[in-house]
Amino acid sequence: MKVWLVGAYGIVSTTAMVGARAIERGIAPKIGLVSELPHFEGIEKYAPFSFEFGGHEIRLLSNAYEAAKEHWELNRHFDREILEAVKSDLEGIVARKGTALNCGSGIKELGDIKTLEGEGLSLAEMVSRIEEDIKSFADDETVVINVASTEPLPNYSEEYHGSLEGFERMIDEDRKEYASASMLYAYAALKLGLPYANFTPSPGSAIPALKELAEKKGVPHAGNDGKTGETLVKTTLAPMFAYRNMEVVGWMSYNILGDYDGKVLSARDNKESKVLSKDKVLEKMLGYSPYSITEIQYFPSLVDNKTAFDFVHFKGFLGKLMKFYFIWDAIDAIVAAPLILDIARFLLFAKKKGVKGVVKEMAFFFKSPMDTNVINTHEQFVVLKEWYSNLK
């Protein structure tokens, strides 16, 4: 199968590429891949573990190997022998130049960025370029996944985002202030009939106009914001308090991270989307809103080693206040990259089974899943298993 990655030279994308090639070559295990669990036996028939990668990227690098090596030099996040073993594969993956339209100050601060927007193209011209790039790569077994950096909250307009007619009129009228890169990539993918997933908190295909397009084209899509670290623990742990009828009075989450993701999120406009995505889960799971603090801070020396400190104040029998603490400390790309491969496989499976529109049963993979209030990790996994079992 083929995977088109928006943000192809990022650490998550390149780690997914390295992992896929290493597994295919028999030099790495399939640890971390949900789709390889016994519950999903038979997925190979619909989505073989054989990947070809392409994508868009705003940073100027020569190929995926150079990008992967740059990330490896900073993080040492897997054995160098694995990277060198797949060097020739990654050198053949050359991303197309992408757009950072309305990307926020965080992405602009990365520097060395030349975008389609900067070339003075209209929205219609941008969409045309994106479509042509994807069409030159895609076939009937292609999935598009947005793994780019987090965008600011969109300038939402019911007129332009509320319907497909309005969205396409926005493009025709060149109303750039209402568009964002993630929307344009999602629009192009769905218009081409390709399954799409949004691994970021950015709007992507979540706006009504693009949900309408997916239904019209009969295409499955899923998102938003990959659930890989502190929120994964939170949505697994918080149900415990609910099951035991204990009241969560307050929950503090303090996240520190480096690398490009951290630098982008150090900008206030980019950070706001991520904080909202992480912060909404407690109310949905508990049915009430405890006092909540969610902080994300840039800590350069950590690079891709994301660390979260969580403090939970909860009330038990006889009204006694008690405390729970945990620390999450993990290499973000290592926990996120296998999910890229999983999501691609499940979306291709969905397409082959005639599923269209939002695949809410894939909520297990996302912090802010579309069209469902099932946030509890345990319940999400049961839903995913039953959905697969009923369709296969």
Side-chain angles (χ1 to χ4, degrees), residues 137-150:
F137 170 85
D139 59 17
D140 289 338
E141 299 200 342
T142 299
V143 173
V144 177
I145 303 181
N146 180 19
V147 206
S149 296
T150 301

Side-chain angles (χ1 to χ4, degrees), residues 140-206:
D140 289 338
E141 299 200 342
T142 299
V143 173
V144 177
I145 303 181
N146 180 19
V147 206
S149 296
T150 301
E151 297 171 350
L153 292 172
N155 183 18
Y156 186 80
S157 163
E158 182 63 28
E159 178 184 359
Y160 293 127
H161 299 150
S163 69
L164 179 58
E165 182 277 329
F167 190 84
E168 292 183 331
R169 182 157 39 81
M170 174 196 74
I171 292 172
D172 292 339
E173 295 174 0
D174 202 27
R175 299 300 298 272
K176 290 190 177 76
E177 66 271 29
Y178 294 107
S180 74
S182 69
M183 294 180 194
L184 299 187
Y185 289 122
Y187 174 71
L190 297 173
K191 188 178 175 185
L192 292 170
L194 303 177
Y196 170 88
N198 185 11
F199 205 69
T200 82
S202 306
S205 63

Side-chain angles (χ1 to χ4, degrees), residues 355 358-365 372 380 383-385 387:
V355 176
V358 175
V359 188
K360 60 184 179 181
E361 293 85 356
M362 288 177 61
F364 176 73
F365 296 106
T372 180
Q380 288 175 333
V383 169
L384 180 67
K385 287 192 300 180
W387 171 74

Side-chain angles (χ1 to χ4, degrees), residues 8 42 46 148 175 183 353 389:
Y46 305 95
R175 299 300 298 272
M183 294 180 194
K353 287 296 181 178
S389 178

